[in-house]
Amino acid sequence: MTLLWIAFAVLLLPALWLLVAPLRRARAVHDAQRDHEINDRTAEQNVAIFQRRLASLEAALERGDIDQARFEEDRLELERGLLEDTEGLKRAPLKASASGRLAVPIVMVLVVAASVLWYQREGAEGDLTLLALQEEVQNHPDGSIEMLIERLEEQAVRQPGNPNVWSSLFPLYRDMGQGREAIHALERLIELEGRHPSLLGQLAQVEFFVADRQLTPRVQALVDETLERDSSQPTVLGVLGIEAFDRSDYEGAIDYWRRAIAGMSDASSGQALREGIRVAQERLGVEPEAREPTMGEAQGNGIRVRVSLDQALNGRLGEEATVFVVARDMEGELPPLAVARFPVGELPTEVVLDERHAMSPEASLAQVREARLMVRVSASGDAAPQAGDLFGDREGVPVGATDGEPVEVVVDRVFD
């Protein structure tokens, strides 16, 4: 942090020098202006010109070239012109070269103060403080999660408007079993960042567990809002699966968990849900699968897709962007038949769309012979398309065995 402020000071030095530099030339400029005013003969020249023109007018009057009325009119015009020229030559008294020097240090102080205040308001000082704090706790001989939480709580008091403070506190509270504190941290984060489906889903999850795995009116309201914004939000689908499992609705739990897995990019969470599906199948008396098929393996007929990104669009979106691979019926009358989601960093990759990726029992790839594939890369991670997303599609893709050559879909366009 000290090095950062030293760097700011070094950057401010040229600006301060530009303020000081004119003072060094002030004496010379003052003397040059004084000499110019002393030696200025403009007023004398204007008077001489006036006298010559007046003499010409008088001579013309004597010769009878002009009458008295014309003479008076022209003389008045000459006098008016002389007055205007003389008025324009009036100068304010020349001030001393040292006058105004006090304003320079005042402006310098204001420049430095404004720069510091602007950085504290708009800069990333708070985030740098968080990084330094986390590094300090990690390197501390007695460093612990409790110490990190205590330091972050101090930062929450100092910079309550920094969303990174609350996003750092929330998972620590959650993992330490401090549900109420985790809820408060998430609510503050939502106030600062907005009601994004991922944040609402996590809040619904924490509220659900704090309420002893009950769908209270508060939890239900959060679930409904999240699904309204993103019908495939995996955290909420996982919560609904747990609630269904607790009610012995094992088929419902399996359905929710399969849909959650289809939208998950976290392998460990997906594995936990697969284990839950296996247990639910045992409770149903169904022979559980030895393991759930991975993304590259098929479950029934489906479509094997190879997704790649056009070279011209490389680097357009960051590594945190999310890829959605969606299969729909050709007529567009049914809900999405299958949806897979993964990070853009995995491109190019192959994915098998099959029954695991169905969004509901009423719509799956088993119902159609051909499908339309749409691939979208979302910077925000939201399921709803937004301007700036990248996309590609493929029409008339046959649904069937998935052991053949994959269907190529190239993401090569930008959504307006």
Side-chain angles (χ1 to χ4, degrees):
M1 203 61 191
T2 303
L3 291 176
L4 179 66
W5 287 113
I6 292 175
F8 286 161
V10 171
L11 291 174
L12 278 172
L13 285 177
L16 300 179
W17 171 254
L18 291 175
L19 291 172
V20 174
L23 293 179
R24 303 182 61 189
R25 305 195 310 271
R27 182 67 185 177
V29 172
H30 175 274
D31 292 345
Q33 181 66 24
R34 183 195 60 197
D35 294 341
H36 170 74
E37 292 182 5
I38 291 174
N39 298 321
D40 188 10
R41 297 289 182 268
T42 304
E44 297 175 6
Q45 293 171 358
N46 288 341
V47 171
I49 293 171
F50 168 78
Q51 291 173 343
R52 288 198 301 270
R53 290 180 176 177
L54 181 59
S56 298
L57 278 176
E58 290 173 344
L61 178 62
E62 291 177 2
R63 292 193 304 268
D65 295 340
I66 59 175
D67 57 17
Q68 187 66 34
R70 176 64 181 274
F71 172 78
E72 295 296 339
E73 181 181 345
D74 289 349
R75 186 180 67 174
L76 183 62
E77 184 67 28
L78 284 175
E79 291 174 348
R80 186 183 295 114
L82 178 61
L83 287 173
E84 290 176 354
D85 293 340
T86 304
E87 188 71 22
L89 292 174
K90 287 184 178 179
R91 299 185 178 90
L94 192 61
K95 294 183 179 180
S97 60
S99 63
R101 285 180 177 267
L102 183 60
V104 174
I106 293 175
V107 172
M108 294 172 66
V109 171
L110 290 176
V111 168
V112 174
S115 301
V116 172
L117 291 174
W118 178 86
Y119 176 73
Q120 289 178 338
R121 179 179 176 84
E122 303 292 339
E125 180 186 13
D127 295 342
L128 293 175
T129 302
L130 291 181
L131 292 174
L133 181 153
Q134 293 170 356
E135 184 176 353
E136 176 189 348
V137 172
Q138 290 174 358
N139 296 331
H140 196 284
D142 299 324
S144 63
I145 298 296
E146 291 79 4
M147 177 186 291
L148 180 58
I149 290 176
E150 181 180 352
R151 299 290 179 84
L152 287 172
E153 287 174 340
E154 293 173 359
Q155 292 302 314
V157 174
R158 293 176 183 173
Q159 41 179 328
N162 188 346
N164 291 323
V165 174
W166 302 106
S167 63
S168 299
L169 272 171
F170 155 64
L172 296 176
Y173 283 142
R174 180 194 59 196
D175 296 343
M176 293 294 290
Q178 301 179 38
R180 293 298 175 187
E181 291 80 0
I183 290 172
H184 173 67
L186 257 179
E187 288 176 338
R188 287 290 296 124
L189 184 59
I190 290 172
E191 288 178 14
L192 296 170
E193 295 284 270
R195 303 185 73 79
H196 298 295
S198 58
L199 296 178
L200 292 172
Q202 293 180 81
L203 181 58
Q205 183 185 62
V206 177
E207 295 257 18
F208 175 75
F209 285 113
V210 168
D212 197 20
R213 296 163 67 120
Q214 298 294 318
L215 278 180
T216 63
R218 163 71 174 166
V219 176
Q220 187 65 60
L222 287 169
V223 168
D224 294 341
E225 182 180 358
T226 304
L227 293 179
E228 182 180 352
R229 295 172 181 267
D230 182 1
S231 60
S232 60
Q233 213 291 316
T235 304
V236 161
L237 293 175
V239 167
L240 292 175
I242 294 172
E243 193 273 338
F245 186 92
D246 290 345
R247 289 189 289 103
S248 300
D249 181 8
Y250 302 121
E251 291 183 351
I254 292 172
D255 176 60
Y256 281 127
W257 286 337
R258 286 193 187 281
R259 290 167 58 190
I261 291 171
M264 276 187 175
S265 57
D266 181 12
S268 60
S269 298
Q271 186 57 41
L273 293 187
R274 290 187 180 94
E275 180 62 22
I277 290 173
R278 188 187 66 80
V279 173
Q281 289 172 334
E282 289 180 347
R283 299 284 180 89
L284 286 171
V286 177
E287 184 66 26
E289 300 165 356
R291 61 181 175 86
E292 284 289 300
T294 63
M295 185 173 285
E297 300 173 312
Q299 180 175 318
N301 289 339
I303 303 172
R304 180 181 294 274
V305 188
R306 176 173 176 78
V307 183
S308 59
L309 185 63
D310 190 279
Q311 292 279 347
L313 299 179
N314 273 339
R316 189 179 180 97
L317 298 180
E319 290 296 321
E320 69 278 3
T322 302
V323 181
F324 292 90
V325 184
V326 182
R328 304 193 69 110
D329 62 299
M330 294 296 294
E331 294 76 20
E333 298 175 351
L334 298 174
L337 306 176
V339 178
R341 179 168 70 175
F342 51 87
V344 72
E346 296 184 9
L347 293 179
T349 189
E350 289 189 12
V351 57
V352 173
L353 297 178
D354 52 30
E355 295 300 306
R356 292 173 302 128
H357 302 96
M359 300 299 296
S360 69
E362 292 78 19
S364 70
L365 286 170
Q367 298 175 243
V368 298
R369 294 184 179 182
E370 287 186 334
R372 177 162 53 100
L373 296 179
M374 293 179 291
V375 180
R376 184 171 58 85
V377 184
S378 168
S380 64
D382 290 341
Q386 298 179 3
D389 290 352
L390 312 180
F391 73 98
D393 57 6
R394 186 77 177 265
E395 300 280 347
V397 178
V399 178
T402 58
D403 52 0
E405 290 295 319
V407 176
E408 294 280 349
V409 179
V410 180
V411 178
D412 56 1
R413 281 162 285 171
V414 181
F415 186 77
D416 297 327

